[in-house]
Amino acid sequence: MRMLINVPETVVADGLRGMAAAHPDLVVDVDNRVVVRRDAPVAGKVGLVSGGGSGHEPLHAGFVGPGMLSAACPGEVFTSPVPDQMVRAAAAVDSGSGVLFVVKNYTGDVLNFDMAAELAEDEGVQVARVLVDDDVAVAVADSTFTAGRRGTGATLFVEKIAGALADEGAPLERVEAMARRVNESARSFGVALSSVTTPAKGTPTFDLPPGELELGIGIHGEPGRERRPMMTSGEIADVAVHAVLEDLRPAGPVLVLVNGMGATPLLELYGFNAEVQRVLSERGVTVARTLVGNYVTSLDMAGCSVTLCQVDEEMVRLWDAPVQTPALRWGR
């Protein structure tokens, strides 16, 4: 195992200590595993809280800051955070206007955020919850680690657009409705070129022979739809974009996220984006905005995902609104 770590047992704490040193505009509670924007709670503003297992960085802690999340709760690697973290985060960001939990659709995340919402409400915090379930590679029936579709790249769209609306002072009901609308308008499809290696295991979590790839994987290395011989960037784009469009069928412009899984260089991602844009053009889909990079990752997995979100003028305006987080910064 060749990893830039001390020991597997401290990898999350070590990462949080490094984040605190790099980003003084965040309050990083290493012991309790909560990351909060330093100016929280903001008077009159709905708090946005999300979280999940570590290993998907910059999701979620890298999206804490003005214009996106108010707080994030990192769990152990590929493991849900616990309710106490979420309750602590909700209390830290609640200004009296309520808190929205953004939850990826994985069984542990759903159960723990549900429990945290009940505990927070017992303490007088008004909580709403939005489930992100955008992965078209999974049938609506149960899948590995989750009941229904997995939450993947659309989480970034939900957190950015709902976060911008919350920063404008919109009430909890409007912020929740917008987050739901973004999720319902978004679909994703992922591809693995290599397996993922967790620090605790130290070896690949699944066997992917040289010269093969896995279509439709999840961000924890969950099984895909099928395994095929290695394909060109253009061929992968054909499969991924067609899978998304078959389910989404956009009637208007879309946001595009071309996302790396952690070990894919930007040179390859930009080349892949060129192919994604080609397929969208061939299908007559108008692109409103495009984001390319490693944002919703799976540790050291090589591969990519494509997320499309049909948008209207308000959603584009909120996407373009200023944001200042460790991983997304524009307009300020």
Side-chain angles (χ1 to χ4, degrees), residues 11-92:
V11 65
V12 175
D14 291 345
L16 289 174
R17 288 191 296 106
M19 171 172 261
H23 300 286
D25 51 337
L26 301 178
V27 176
V28 181
D29 185 338
V30 177
D31 293 332
N32 293 299
R33 306 291 172 88
V34 178
V35 179
V36 182
R37 52 185 281 183
R38 187 166 291 279
D39 61 353
V42 178
K45 177 190 174 306
V46 169
L48 255 69
V49 174
S50 192
S54 295
H56 305 305
E57 288 75 18
L59 190 80
H60 295 272
F63 298 143
V64 174
M68 284 192 81
L69 293 176
S70 306
C73 306
E76 291 298 323
V77 172
F78 292 178
T79 303
S80 171
V82 297
D84 283 352
Q85 291 174 258
M86 303 155 192
V87 173
R88 188 179 296 270

Side-chain angles (χ1 to χ4, degrees), residues 29-261:
D29 185 338
V30 177
D31 293 332
N32 293 299
R33 306 291 172 88
V34 178
V35 179
V36 182
R37 52 185 281 183
R38 187 166 291 279
D39 61 353
V42 178
K45 177 190 174 306
V46 169
L48 255 69
V49 174
S50 192
S54 295
H56 305 305
E57 288 75 18
L59 190 80
H60 295 272
F63 298 143
V64 174
M68 284 192 81
L69 293 176
S70 306
C73 306
E76 291 298 323
V77 172
F78 292 178
T79 303
S80 171
V82 297
D84 283 352
Q85 291 174 258
M86 303 155 192
V87 173
R88 188 179 296 270
V93 305
D94 179 39
S95 67
S97 298
V99 173
L100 178 67
F101 284 168
V102 178
V103 188
K104 300 191 305 303
N105 188 29
Y106 295 93
T107 301
D109 289 19
V110 172
L111 292 174
N112 286 346
F113 269 101
D114 283 352
M115 185 181 300
E118 294 177 4
L119 294 171
E121 287 169 347
D122 288 343
E123 297 182 4
V125 179
Q126 183 183 5
V127 178
R129 286 155 284 178
V130 170
L131 195 66
V132 181
D133 56 353
D134 55 305
D135 187 359
V136 301
V138 177
V140 176
D142 290 0
S143 63
T144 307
F145 299 124
T146 184
R149 290 181 164 171
R150 304 177 290 226
T152 57
T155 313
L156 185 156
F157 289 155
V158 171
E159 292 175 355
K160 172 62 184 79
I161 293 173
L165 187 60
D167 268 22
E168 292 181 352
L172 180 59
E173 295 77 12
R174 277 195 64 205
V175 177
E176 177 188 6
M178 176 59 74
R180 292 188 188 282
R181 183 147 63 96
V182 173
N183 177 63
E184 291 164 0
S185 302
R187 302 288 188 277
S188 298
F189 188 89
V191 179
L193 307 182
S194 73
S195 179
V196 56
T197 301
T198 62
K201 189 171 186 290
T203 57
T205 58
F206 63 90
D207 177 41
L208 187 59
E212 295 187 2
L213 55 74
E214 186 99 11
L215 296 172
I217 50 85
I219 57 175
H220 306 96
E222 302 98 319
R225 282 184 174 180
E226 62 178 309
R227 188 167 291 186
R228 290 189 188 179
M230 188 60 198
M231 302 156 66
T232 66
S233 178
E235 291 168 338
I236 295 171
D238 285 331
V239 172
V241 176
H242 284 305
V244 171
L245 292 179
E246 283 175 7
D247 196 284
L248 183 60
R249 302 185 184 279
V254 298
L255 295 178
V256 179
L257 171 62
V258 170
N259 174 67
M261 301 306 293

